[in-house]
Amino acid sequence: MQTRITELLGIKYPVIQGGMAWTSDANLAAAVSNAGGAGIIGTGGRSAEWVTEEIRRAKSLTDKPFGVNVMLMAPNVAEVIATICAEKVAFVTLGAGNPVPHIATFQAAGIKVIPVVPNVKLAKRIEAAGADAMVIEGMEAGGHIGKQTTMALMENVLPAVKSIPVIVAGGISDGRAIAAAILMGAEGVQMGSRFILTTECPAHAKAKEAIVAATDTDSVTTGYSRNLGVRCLSNSFTTAYTAKEVAGVPNEELMAMATGTNRKGILEGDLEKGTVMVGQSLNVLNDIFPCQQVMERLINEAKAAIERVSKIKF
C-alpha cells in the first residue's frame, strides 16, 4: 500500500504509531517499524537523557525508520529538541504548542517534520511554513483532544491541503478505518490505542485488560469545557474531576488534580485513581497481539474494505 507518506518516510505501510506518553518507548517504536509502519518514541514527561537512551536503543532494535513525538509545552523542550537533532531520527511529530519556529531547526538536522494540527487555519499555516507532512487528529482520539471530529477534519482539511501529505488520526482502530481515511484522500493514518494492545507495549496488564473489556460508551472526556479536553476510560478519578469542572473550580486546581494520573493509570495499573487514555473506537479493541500480527491484520482489513468499495457499481 504505497502513498506519499510511505514514500516520504521510506516505510512499507502508511501506518504511524501515536507518540503516547509513558508507553511509546524504543521497544514499541522498533516493533511497529519492523512490522512495516513507522514507530514513534513519546517524550512527554521524559528527560532528555531518557530520550537519548531510547533513540539509541531503538536503533539497536531496528534498521527501519522511526520518529519521536515532541510535546512543545514541556519545560525541557529545548534539551529534547537538541537531543533529537544530535541523534538524527527519521522524523518528528510535534504537538501541544506552536510548531512553526521549530520546523527549520529539525529540517537543518535532516529530520522530517510532521506537526499535529486541529483545524484548517493551522493546517494552512503549517503547509506554508514548509512542514514535510501533517497529522490531523479528531476528538475521538485518546489523550489530549481538540474540538472537531475526525470526519469533520477530513472534510475540512483534506481539500484545503494539497502540497504535503496529510495523515489522519482519532478513532482509527482497525483496517476499515484506514481504508476510510485513504478513500477520503488521506495519505496515511496515525494509531495509538491499537498499539497499546500489543505485547511490545509497556502499558500495565491491568490497563490493557481494561481497554479490552471496555465498550463504546466507556470513554469520557474530562476538561472539555475548559479547553483542557482529555479522553480516557471512565473511572472514579474522571467522575471526581468532572464534578469539580462543573462546579467551577479554577483551572490550576484541575490541572494539579490531573498531574501524574496518566502514568499512574497506564503504567502502574491504578484503574481508579489513574487515567487510561484511549480512543473512542473501543469495541474493535479486544485482543493483544505482537505488532507484526496487528499490522498484518490491519492491512488485510484495509485491503478487503477497499476491494468491497471497488465492486460497487455506479
Side-chain angles (χ1 to χ4, degrees), residues 6-30:
T6 63
E7 294 175 3
L8 177 72
L9 299 182
I11 56 180
K12 186 176 181 180
Y13 303 123
V15 177
I16 316 299
Q17 169 231 317
M20 302 164 288
W22 303 114
T23 56
S24 295
D25 64 358
N27 197 50
L28 178 60

Side-chain angles (χ1 to χ4, degrees), residues 60-263:
S60 74
L61 296 171
T62 184
D63 59 357
K64 302 294 193 298
F66 66 89
V68 176
N69 173 259
V70 182
M71 189 174 71
L72 295 174
M73 68 186 333
N76 64 337
V77 66
E79 296 174 44
V80 170
I81 289 174
T83 289
I84 295 168
C85 290
E87 294 298 325
K88 306 290 186 184
V89 300
F91 69 97
V92 291
T93 56
L94 307 177
N98 179 11
V100 173
H102 306 288
I103 293 175
T105 300
F106 285 114
Q107 290 178 336
I111 298 170
K112 295 178 177 64
V113 181
I114 307 177
V116 181
V117 302
N119 55 54
V120 172
K121 182 179 180 180
L122 185 56
K124 288 183 175 180
R125 186 180 173 200
I126 293 303
E127 182 182 28
D132 295 283
M134 70 178 69
V135 176
I136 55 173
E137 183 175 70
M139 62 181 292
E140 296 93 328
H144 298 272
I145 61 172
K147 296 287 188 180
Q148 293 189 56
T149 65
T150 302
M151 177 61 76
L153 278 173
M154 288 195 292
E155 290 273 26
N156 294 329
V157 176
L158 291 175
V161 175
K162 299 296 185 182
S163 66
I164 62 174
V166 178
I167 301 159
V168 171
I172 311 290
S173 291
D174 67 4
R176 296 172 306 152
I178 296 173
I182 297 296
L183 289 169
M184 286 285 288
E187 301 289 343
V189 300
Q190 179 176 282
M191 309 176 77
S193 303
R194 176 60 267 185
F195 289 112
I196 293 176
L197 296 186
T198 57
T199 56
E200 295 91 347
C201 180
H204 197 283
K206 288 183 179 179
K208 292 182 182 182
E209 291 165 5
I211 295 171
V212 169
T215 189
D216 57 342
T217 56
D218 287 337
S219 83
V220 295
T221 303
T222 59
Y224 192 74
S225 67
R226 309 289 186 87
N227 290 321
L228 299 171
V230 175
R231 184 177 299 285
C232 51
L233 292 181
S234 176
N235 63 7
S236 299
F237 167 79
T238 62
T239 299
Y241 184 105
T242 301
K244 289 197 173 188
E245 179 185 351
V246 172
V249 303
N251 282 0
E252 293 75 15
E253 183 177 340
L254 289 176
M255 293 174 73
M257 182 180 180
T259 299
T261 56
N262 185 19
R263 178 171 183 168

Side-chain angles (χ1 to χ4, degrees), residues 30-65:
V32 173
S33 291
N34 285 333
I40 289 180
I41 295 169
T43 66
R46 303 292 194 173
S47 68
E49 291 76 19
W50 182 90
V51 175
T52 300
E53 291 172 2
E54 290 302 293
I55 291 173
R56 292 176 181 177
R57 190 160 71 94
K59 288 179 179 178
S60 74
L61 296 171
T62 184
D63 59 357
K64 302 294 193 298

